[in-house]
Amino acid sequence: MATHNTDLPAGESPASSRAKIIETAEPLFARQGFAGVGLREVAERVGLGKSSLFHHFPSKVKLYAAVLERVLVEFDRRLSERERTAGTALARLHAWADAGVDTLAENPTFGPLLLRSLFEDDILAPPERDLVDAAFDRIVARISRTLEEGMASGEIRELSIPHTIQSLIGLTVYPFASDSLGQRLLGSPIYSAEQIRARKQHLFEFIARGFSVP
Amino acid sequence: MATHNTDLPAGESPASSRAKIIETAEPLFARQGFAGVGLREVAERVGLGKSSLFHHFPSKVKLYAAVLERVLVEFDRRLSERERTAGTALARLHAWADAGVDTLAENPTFGPLLLRSLFEDDILAPPERDLVDAAFDRIVARISRTLEEGMASGEIRELSIPHTIQSLIGLTVYPFASDSLGQRLLGSPIYSAEQIRARKQHLFEFIARGFSVP
DNA sequence: GTCTATACACCGATAGAC
DNA sequence: GTCTATCGGTGTATAGAC
């Protein structure tokens, strides 16, 4: 009865325009950052007039927030798939590192966007900011819980949980944000199958060695 | 004989305006990134008219390059002070991690700027880009050499040098770029004496455990 | 070496027709 | 839901007086 067509082809991208705009803006924000992207460019790529964007998002900031939230939620979802891994805490951390690298490797915008969301803090304001923070907190809580569990059971050595989380981010997310440096350093793109495998192995070894009891 | 006063008060900041502009722009670029900073704001803080900046720097990009280069050169200089540390390769890596953290802790703009220089690659073009790349390469070469040396002598286990460098950057630089996240995670700013100490200890343990032979 | 004035493009955002 | 037209403001950069 609505004037809008809410009945969808089922299976076909309902996406409306909203999802399409988010997907189009995502790589631009990832590469250029919030300030570096103009809505004109986004609109052009979507195939809309600039003003039409404002029908779907009331402001540029809210579009950016929508992009970030989608990334964080998806990243968290990918980790959650491994929540019930094996028995030991260390095995779960290993599985999460594996899932994290897979997710970053499959989505080249995720590394830069996640990194930006972590150190460019003066873009989002309280209303949208809270959504992004909440998504991030879920990820942190997930890891913290398992670290505590492992330390309690004596499986993992005593270490500072916040510093460990920072280290895990630095070891996992950062390398997938620095694509060009990675390429210069490694000789081949970090997004190549070969380097993804190498990165995983490197990361796993650091986790195993860094976390095991003395 | 020159019309400009090239004779300096000796000890007093010669700085002319150039250095002052760089120092003023540095924290702005660190927080907001290249695209997020307007020359109007820089000029205001320096106490000049906007147009006067162009007398000292022919373009915004060259100012940004000058800021980045200064940071990279200074960072490299701080590492170089420990070049002749102790005897063993592992001790030198330890000393460099120590110096790196000290430098990042003393210069809150360095973390964000270094991180930006590593993953925002489409800002600088070949002429200025080469200067920044060269400064970065000196740091990488320094570390690579010592890693190779340690691996050759059997003091350090066999590992991928590029991936290890990426890991060291992620473990050392990244945490000092994410000030607000650090604060939310840690409870107190990463730039507090207490957290600097904690970060160092954490980092040292990861290096010792991650690099030692099986 | 600093200033005022200006050029010209683009910014995010709004109004209102269709 | 998309469009055209337009708003006020800012962006980098230049010209030229002082």
Side-chain angles (χ1 to χ4, degrees):
Chain A
M1 288 299 174
T3 46
H4 291 50
N5 178 15
T6 44
D7 304 312
L8 302 164
E12 183 55 27
S13 163
S16 54
S17 290
R18 196 185 151 88
K20 191 172 184 182
I21 293 169
I22 292 179
E23 281 160 27
T24 304
E26 194 174 297
L28 294 174
F29 282 134
R31 287 191 71 83
Q32 331 245 51
F34 175 76
V37 176
L39 294 183
R40 193 193 92 262
E41 189 179 358
V42 177
E44 260 170 23
R45 297 204 184 195
V46 175
L48 285 179
K50 192 174 53 158
S51 306
S52 304
L53 296 184
F54 288 91
H55 178 79
H56 302 278
F57 297 92
S59 74
K60 184 188 178 185
V61 165
K62 302 225 175 184
L63 168 58
Y64 186 66
V67 168
L68 281 191
E69 203 205 347
R70 191 186 90 82
V71 170
L72 280 158
V73 166
E74 169 65 6
F75 194 84
D76 183 47
R77 192 189 66 76
R78 291 290 295 264
L79 295 189
S80 75
E81 290 178 352
R82 310 282 194 102
E83 180 77 46
R84 309 202 142 276
T85 291
T88 71
L90 204 55
R92 205 173 312 128
L93 288 167
H94 183 100
W96 281 336
D98 186 61
V101 169
D102 281 342
T103 307
L104 290 162
E106 291 165 23
N107 303 275
T109 63
F110 281 23
L113 283 172
L114 287 172
L115 207 62
R116 287 189 188 280
S117 78
L118 295 176
F119 90 101
E120 295 180 327
D121 37 338
D122 32 6
I123 294 173
L124 265 40
E128 307 84 30
R129 163 132 202 179
D130 293 342
L131 284 179
V132 171
D133 279 0
F136 182 72
D137 285 344
R138 281 196 296 277
I139 297 174
V140 169
R142 201 183 289 286
I143 298 172
S144 295
R145 232 180 297 123
T146 292
L147 281 172
E148 278 164 16
E149 191 185 310
M151 283 165 50
S153 76
E155 187 192 355
I156 294 175
R157 73 181 171 102
E158 291 292 322
L159 34 70
S160 156
I161 288 180
H163 279 286
T164 302
I165 288 174
Q166 288 281 58
S167 293
L168 285 171
I169 295 171
L171 286 169
T172 310
V173 177
Y174 158 72
F176 286 92
S178 64
D179 190 17
S180 76
L181 166 65
Q183 176 134 12
R184 232 173 76 232
L185 228 44
L186 301 160
S188 59
I190 182 70
Y191 288 97
S192 67
E194 163 200 4
Q195 293 301 347
I196 292 165
R197 204 176 341 105
R199 186 70 216 166
K200 271 191 189 178
Q201 192 196 332
H202 189 87
L203 176 59
F204 293 162
E205 286 170 4
F206 260 76
I207 290 177
R209 291 164 159 264
F211 291 2
S212 65
V213 294
Chain B
M1 287 299 176
T3 46
H4 291 47
N5 178 14
T6 44
D7 304 310
L8 301 163
E12 183 54 25
S13 161
S16 50
S17 290
R18 198 185 150 87
K20 191 172 183 181
I21 293 169
I22 291 179
E23 282 160 26
T24 304
E26 194 174 298
L28 293 175
F29 282 134
R31 289 192 71 84
Q32 331 247 50
F34 176 75
V37 176
L39 294 182
R40 194 194 89 261
E41 187 178 1
V42 177
E44 261 171 21
R45 296 203 185 196
V46 175
L48 285 179
K50 198 175 41 160
S51 305
S52 304
L53 296 185
F54 288 91
H55 179 79
H56 302 278
F57 298 91
S59 73
K60 183 188 177 184
V61 163
K62 302 225 174 186
L63 169 57
Y64 185 66
V67 168
L68 280 192
E69 202 205 349
R70 191 185 90 83
V71 170
L72 279 158
V73 167
E74 169 66 7
F75 194 84
D76 182 48
R77 192 190 65 77
R78 291 291 296 267
L79 295 189
S80 75
E81 290 179 353
R82 311 281 194 101
E83 180 78 45
R84 309 203 143 276
T85 293
T88 70
L90 205 53
R92 204 174 314 127
L93 289 167
H94 183 99
W96 281 336
D98 186 60
V101 169
D102 281 343
T103 307
L104 291 162
E106 291 165 23
N107 303 276
T109 63
F110 280 23
L113 282 172
L114 287 172
L115 206 62
R116 287 188 188 281
S117 78
L118 295 176
F119 90 101
E120 294 181 328
D121 38 336
D122 34 6
I123 295 174
L124 265 40
E128 309 85 29
R129 161 131 205 183
D130 294 341
L131 285 178
V132 171
D133 279 0
F136 182 72
D137 285 344
R138 282 196 295 278
I139 297 174
V140 170
R142 202 184 287 287
I143 299 172
S144 295
R145 233 180 295 122
T146 292
L147 282 171
E148 278 164 16
E149 191 185 310
M151 281 164 52
S153 76
E155 187 192 353
I156 293 175
R157 73 181 172 101
E158 291 291 323
L159 34 69
S160 158
I161 289 181
H163 279 286
T164 302
I165 288 174
Q166 287 282 58
S167 293
L168 286 171
I169 295 171
L171 286 169
T172 309
V173 177
Y174 158 73
F176 286 93
S178 64
D179 190 16
S180 76
L181 166 64
Q183 177 134 10
R184 230 172 76 229
L185 229 44
L186 300 160
S188 59
I190 182 69
Y191 288 97
S192 66
E194 164 200 6
Q195 293 300 347
I196 292 165
R197 204 177 340 104
R199 186 69 216 165
K200 272 191 189 178
Q201 193 196 332
H202 189 86
L203 176 59
F204 293 161
E205 287 170 2
F206 260 76
I207 290 177
R209 291 166 156 264
F211 290 3
S212 63
V213 294

